């Protein structure tokens, strides 16, 4: 971005935030009316909040000088009502956000936003809950952000929700009509997920195939709290869709390959691999490719932003990436503890599996990538002493 473009964008965001600031905040109690004060009451100093804003600004790909705007956007998060629907899923995406061991600013902000409907955390149940949803859709028509967790059975009777037995598909279609922005949270909502895995008995589909409005996919099983809250903050800042890749994932979060930003990459390049879980090489933090790591075929930012308030991520903890943010990963990336390259020799997937890049479709190029990566691992096992 040139400095002139940067200044123009800064002004545009500033204007949007000033307009948002004029709107009435939606809050559940007096204590959550002012987000900055509520954060302080939760033990976060202004300095912590500013540091969080700086990290979030970098994460969503804005220049460092925009950090005060990110801070302000977070303070205004209760001007944008959010409706969160659960479809066919395990609630792991909500848990990723809500159950961190030591709730960070992302979790606390999510607790303070105007969350008008979320079945896991709301007190209402039955007909009362259904009324909350209808009221929210009516009162905030055209203004709310719709976040949907879970795949949606196209054979609709497989998923009914609530006291009136409406189908998930009906709920999603209706809620999408008045939404200003729609986020598919998690791989189930983005790509169908585990219930869409072969043989997909309920004909489960991603949200984007069940409604006729644009959907921003935020895949991951689960996505990190940063990717969930970051997309919300990004929407508050911009008021528009972020730049997306070919799978409708925001580029700011999904443009880099796990393998290219992995702390074990030096060991991959040096041909140093874990051969068995728990061996000496595992203790030395060697590359997990031979233990089935799918980092070479997966696009996500978990190596940088991590999970559970930035505590760790799967590869850091000693297990390979399972490719959870890629379409159909349950079918195409499994068995999770075997290298994808093994499929070159004996596989039901003709050796090509899930290889895709974020922006190119070149299956041939990707097959070459698998072959190259597999060949590197094989060659290294020949040349490296065990
Ligand atoms: S194969 Fe996996 S563990 Fe090895 S460098 Fe790539 S992403 Fe990291
Ligand atoms: S490392 Fe891979 S499997 Fe694990 S969360 Fe990240 S993308 Fe998903």
């Amino acid at each position: 971005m040139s400095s002139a473009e940067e200044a123009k964008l800064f002004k545009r965001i500033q204007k949007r935030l000033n307009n948002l600031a004029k709107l009435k905040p939606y809050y559940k109690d007096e204590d959550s009316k002012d987000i900055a004060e509520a954060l302080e009451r939760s033990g976060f100093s202004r300095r912590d909040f500013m540091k969080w804003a700086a990290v979030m600004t970098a994460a969503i790909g804005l220049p460092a000088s925009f950090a005060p705007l990110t801070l302000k956007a977070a303070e205004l998060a209760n001007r944008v009502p959010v409706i969160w629907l659960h479809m066919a899923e395990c609630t792991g995406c909500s848990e990723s956000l809500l159950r961190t061991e030591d709730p960070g600013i992302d979790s606390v902000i999510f607790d303070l936003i105007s969350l008008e409907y979320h079945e896991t955390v709301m007190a209402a149940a039955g007909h009362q809950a259904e009324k909350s949803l209808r009221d929210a859709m009516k009162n905030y028509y055209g203004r709310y952000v719709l976040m949907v967790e879970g795949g949606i059975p196209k054979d609709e009777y497989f998923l009914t929700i609530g006291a009136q037995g409406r189908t998930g598909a009906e709920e999603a279609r209706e809620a999408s009509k008045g939404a200003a922005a729609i986020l598919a949270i998690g791989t189930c909502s983005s790509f169908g997920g585990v219930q869409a895995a072969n043989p997909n008995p309920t004909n489960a589909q991603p949200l984007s195939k069940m409604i006729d409005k644009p959907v921003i996919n935020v895949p991951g099983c689960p996505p990190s709290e940063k990717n969930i809250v970051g997309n919300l903050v990004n929407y508050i800042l911009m008021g528009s869709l972020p730049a997306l890749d070919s799978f409708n994932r925001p580029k700011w979060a999904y443009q880099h390959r796990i393998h290219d930003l992995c702390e074990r990459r030096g060991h991959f390049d040096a041909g140093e691999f874990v051969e068995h879980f728990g061996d000496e090489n595992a203790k030395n933090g060697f590359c997990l490719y031979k233990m089935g790591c799918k980092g070479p075929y997966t696009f996500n930012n978990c190596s940088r932003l991590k999970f559970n308030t930035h505590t760790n991520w799967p590869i850091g903890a000693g297990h390979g990436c399972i490719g959870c943010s890629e379409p159909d990963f349950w079918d195409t990336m499994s068995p999770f503890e075997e290298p994808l390259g093994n499929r070159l020799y004996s596989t039901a997937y003709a050796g090509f599996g899930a290889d895709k890049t974020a922006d190119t479709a070149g299956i041939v190029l990707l097959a070459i990538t698998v072959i190259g990566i597999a060949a590197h691992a094989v060659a290294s096992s020949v040349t490296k002493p065990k």
Side-chain angles (χ1 to χ4, degrees), residues 28-48:
K28 54 183 180 225
D29 52 41
E30 279 301 313
D31 278 354
S32 46
K33 188 172 174 182
D34 186 308
I35 290 185
E37 282 176 17
L39 278 170
E40 271 198 62
R41 270 196 299 278
S42 301
F44 297 106
S45 65
R46 189 73 182 165
R47 193 178 160 78
D48 294 331

Side-chain angles (χ1 to χ4, degrees), residues 220-222 258 298-300 302 307 313-315 320-325:
C221 199
I258 296 283
T298 306
F299 291 78
N300 206 335
C302 15
F307 291 82
W313 69 303
I315 289 175
C321 167
I322 62 171
C324 73
S325 50

Side-chain angles (χ1 to χ4, degrees), residues 258-260 262-266 268 273 286-289 293-296 313 315 320-321:
I258 296 283
H259 188 57
D260 295 333
C262 176
E263 64 226 22
R264 299 184 188 228
R265 177 59 188 264
F268 176 89
F273 297 99
F286 284 7
C287 170
L288 292 157
Y289 176 79
C293 181
K294 305 302 186 301
W313 69 303
I315 289 175
C321 167

Side-chain angles (χ1 to χ4, degrees), residues 59 90 103 107 126 138 157 163 193 201 204 239 259 273 349 361 364:
C90 69
S107 308
K138 188 168 150 218
Y157 53 86
H259 188 57
F273 297 99
Y349 297 89
V364 175

Side-chain angles (χ1 to χ4, degrees), residues 173-203:
R173 280 193 294 265
E174 189 178 345
S176 69
K177 282 185 197 145
I182 303 173
L183 301 173
I185 302 295
T187 293
C188 298
S189 185
S190 300
F191 304 129
V194 66
Q195 48 279 309
N198 189 35
N200 192 358
T202 66
N203 197 5

Side-chain angles (χ1 to χ4, degrees), residues 343-358:
R343 291 189 180 165
L344 292 168
Y345 311 109
S346 128
T347 168
Y349 297 89
F352 296 118
D355 293 277
K356 289 184 172 93
T357 68

Side-chain angles (χ1 to χ4, degrees), residues 10 35 40 54 61 73 76 95 112 114 119 135 139 178 186 200 233 248 274 278 313 340 345 351 354-355 370 378:
F10 193 96
I35 290 185
E40 271 198 62
L76 295 172
E95 298 286 333
L112 296 168
S114 173
E119 285 150 17
D135 287 350
N139 296 341
N200 192 358
V233 169
N248 274 15
V274 175
W313 69 303
L340 204 54
Y345 311 109
D355 293 277
V370 182
V378 171

